[in-house]
């Protein structure tokens, strides 16, 4: 069993940066992890993912070059550094433990989400 808690969201202006954190209880190190987001009225989408040992990452095209995913297994924490934020990045951001690094299918564990709002 893994419990995930996100933090670090907030209201920022376009061009600003934010760093989200996802802290886990349980064996977070056993799972690849991912960040997802859901904007109002839209379906949830994958933003980024990272393998259990950080040797591989992947990103949605919309955030490549602006967002960086990382993790610290010793601290049971995952991060999402978001730079050059745009109004279209506004969403609730969720972290999740993935079944497979290459698949976003039905992650077994989810956090409760943190709101990120980017004003223009």
């Amino acid at each position: 069993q893994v419990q995930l808690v996100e933090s670090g969201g907030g209201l920022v202006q376009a061009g600003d940066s934010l760093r989200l954190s996802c802290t886990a209880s349980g064996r977070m190190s056993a799972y690849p992890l991912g960040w997802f987001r859901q904007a109002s009225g839209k379906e949830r989408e994958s933003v980024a993912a990272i393998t259990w040992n950080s040797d591989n990452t992947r990103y949605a095209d919309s955030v490549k070059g602006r967002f960086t995913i990382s993790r610290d297994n010793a601290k049971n924490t995952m991060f999402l550094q978001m730079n050059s934020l745009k109004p279209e990045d506004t969403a609730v951001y969720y972290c999740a433990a993935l079944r497979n690094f290459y698949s976003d299918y039905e992650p077994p564990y989810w956090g409760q989400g943190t709101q990120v709002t980017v004003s223009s």
Side-chain angles (χ1 to χ4, degrees), residues 28-46:
M28 186 188 83
S29 60
Y31 294 90
L33 300 174
W35 285 99
F36 296 76
R37 67 186 182 186
Q38 186 167 20
S40 180
K42 295 187 177 181
E43 292 191 355
R44 186 152 49 190
E45 62 175 352
S46 172

Side-chain angles (χ1 to χ4, degrees), residues 37-57:
R37 67 186 182 186
Q38 186 167 20
S40 180
K42 295 187 177 181
E43 292 191 355
R44 186 152 49 190
E45 62 175 352
S46 172
V47 174
I50 188 167
T51 52
W52 72 273
N53 62 353
S54 303
D55 69 346
N56 203 356
T57 58

Side-chain angles (χ1 to χ4, degrees), residues 67-101:
F67 290 12
T68 303
I69 188 172
S70 61
R71 66 190 292 170
D72 184 341
N73 287 339
K75 296 182 178 179
N76 268 356
T77 304
M78 175 178 64
F79 305 97
L80 186 68
Q81 178 66 43
M82 305 186 295
N83 298 330
S84 302
L85 282 162
K86 304 175 181 180
E88 51 263 45
D89 295 318
T90 295
V92 178
Y93 284 71
Y94 300 88
C95 64
L98 306 177
R99 296 182 184 276
N100 182 301
F101 170 72

